[in-house]
Amino acid sequence: MTKLDGAELQTLAERLPQWRYDAERGGTITRSYMFSDFVQAFGFMAQLALEAEKRNHHPEWSNVYNRVVITLTTHDLGGLSTLDLELARVADALHARMSPSRQQG
């Protein structure tokens, strides 16, 4: 795990187009996901939790009915790291598998 440098932060929009970068707390990325209902949203969270635990890297997240909002940052490094990018890609792929016909939110 390495902290992202300025050049890597510049390419975030290309690499993770649906994630929003914020410079607060040394750097965070946030994305909202929509699902068909609460059960599907909670299932997404449960599956992503298992992936996060494997990496010992846990998201900040919230769930309201069919919507899950995730914010990623690496607290130990005081900003974004390669682990955040990896978990974001895992979340995107999981969402795509669960909601292939839904437009990504």
Side-chain angles (χ1 to χ4, degrees):
M1 159 179 64
T2 58
K3 188 171 179 178
L4 301 184
D5 64 23
E8 291 168 313
L9 292 174
Q10 296 273 334
T11 64
L12 273 178
E14 292 172 23
R15 293 163 41 181
L16 297 170
Q18 299 192 344
W19 289 79
R20 185 184 79 245
Y21 173 75
D22 191 323
E24 73 176 32
R25 297 187 288 153
T28 65
I29 53 174
T30 301
R31 177 160 180 206
S32 177
Y33 295 93
M34 299 296 288
F35 298 91
S36 60
D37 57 25
F38 175 76
V39 171
Q40 190 180 45
F42 197 82
F44 168 81
M45 292 177 75
Q47 290 181 57
L48 188 58
L50 296 173
E51 293 298 324
E53 186 63 20
K54 286 180 193 174
R55 293 162 174 79
N56 193 31
H57 191 61
H58 306 96
E60 299 172 15
W61 56 11
S62 65
N63 165 239
V64 177
Y65 184 60
N66 67 338
R67 182 173 179 237
V68 176
V69 178
I70 299 174
T71 297
L72 298 172
T73 190
T74 302
H75 300 102
D76 294 346
L77 296 179
L80 289 170
S81 75
T82 52
L83 213 45
D84 297 305
L85 300 184
E86 181 182 335
L87 194 56
R89 287 187 193 103
V90 168
D92 287 348
L94 178 59
H95 180 258
R97 283 194 307 273
M98 294 181 76
S99 307
S101 63
R102 292 183 65 85
Q103 186 176 39
Q104 302 229 351

